[in-house]
Amino acid sequence: MTVRRSPLAMMVLALLVEEPMHAYRMQQLIREREKHDVVNVAQRNSIYQTIERLRRDELIRVAETTREEGRPERTVYALTPAGRRTLDGWLADALATPAREFPEFPAALSFLPILPPGEAARRLDQRAGVIEARLREREAALSAVDLPRLFLVEDEYQLAVLRAELDWVRELVADLRSGALTWSGEWLADWTGTPG
């Protein structure tokens, strides 16, 4: 049986390496450790769906169900040996092999000729501003954290990717503004062989 890997499934299994816990505690730790930048937990229900899938695949098990007075019932989950082996395999694969991902930005870039060059430059300049703001925000947040580097490597990676993207977008905007990269309806029709 092949179990589908996802960043959130990896996060749940990794949290359960620490100790058995209930879903609400997992959500708390993801927020406290600011891992919501690494895994998508925007939908509150997504962690519960992931837990159910991992339980169904026997990668985690119910350790106990507790109920405190005036509180809802809480199911505590624990990692199974199969879950630990799966996590180890997923982690090894994710670290060693770049995944084939399909982010939205490269797709949008492939449709750049649909916009006039000036409009493309304006929109990309807006993107550069958003990236700059995110960089400042993340750098400030990281400077306020007193953790060993081991617990910050994913933040370092994200900052490096943001910096590289910002540099590349700025260069592209400069090329669009200078005319080093340009197009027109006529040029596109000639290039693609379609009527303009």
Side-chain angles (χ1 to χ4, degrees), residues 139-156:
E139 288 169 341
L142 283 177
S143 69
V145 173
D146 185 28
L147 289 172
R149 183 176 179 213
L150 175 62
F151 301 113
L152 301 172
V153 292
E154 72 273 16
D155 295 296
E156 288 180 8

Side-chain angles (χ1 to χ4, degrees), residues 12-13 21 34 43 47 62-64 79 82-83 94 110 128 141 172 174 184-185 196:
V12 168
L13 295 177
M21 63 183 77
E34 297 192 17
Q43 298 292 321
I47 198 161
V62 174
E64 67 177 321
L79 191 63
S110 73
L172 185 59
S184 66

Side-chain angles (χ1 to χ4, degrees), residues 83-96:
R84 179 58 195 244
R85 286 189 305 275
T86 299
L87 175 61
D88 291 347
W90 284 351
L91 184 56
D93 188 49
L95 289 172

Side-chain angles (χ1 to χ4, degrees), residues 22-171:
H22 50 77
Y24 182 72
R25 179 68 180 140
M26 292 178 205
Q27 288 177 320
Q28 284 179 313
L29 290 173
I30 290 169
R31 270 194 314 275
E32 287 172 15
R33 296 174 183 177
E34 297 192 17
K35 300 299 183 189
H36 54 278
D37 287 335
V38 179
V39 295
N40 184 0
V41 288
Q43 298 292 321
R44 189 182 143 123
N45 199 32
S46 58
I47 198 161
Y48 292 98
Q49 291 170 343
T50 299
I51 287 170
E52 180 53 31
R53 180 171 60 87
L54 294 172
R55 191 197 57 72
R56 203 174 42 246
D57 292 335
E58 299 179 355
L59 301 181
I60 64 175
R61 64 177 176 77
V62 174
E64 67 177 321
T65 303
T66 61
R67 183 180 199 100
E68 296 175 20
E69 190 175 323
R71 311 274 304 163
E73 187 175 87
R74 290 200 171 159
T75 303
V76 175
Y77 298 93
L79 191 63
T80 64
R84 179 58 195 244
R85 286 189 305 275
T86 299
L87 175 61
D88 291 347
W90 284 351
L91 184 56
D93 188 49
L95 289 172
T97 310
R100 231 181 126 202
E101 300 170 330
F102 299 94
E104 191 174 70
F105 183 54
L109 288 170
S110 73
F111 306 121
L112 200 61
I114 291 173
L115 297 175
E119 177 68 11
R122 280 190 297 281
R123 297 300 179 186
L124 288 164
D125 201 35
Q126 287 176 328
R127 183 180 189 90
V130 170
I131 294 169
E132 284 176 312
R134 284 186 187 162
L135 270 170
R136 282 192 306 272
E137 177 184 298
R138 292 303 304 145
E139 288 169 341
L142 283 177
S143 69
V145 173
D146 185 28
L147 289 172
R149 183 176 179 213
L150 175 62
F151 301 113
L152 301 172
V153 292
E154 72 273 16
D155 295 296
E156 288 180 8
Y157 169 77
Q158 288 177 325
L159 286 173
V161 169
L162 282 173
R163 287 182 189 117
E165 183 179 339
L166 180 59
D167 290 345
W168 186 85
V169 168
R170 283 178 175 158
E171 287 178 25

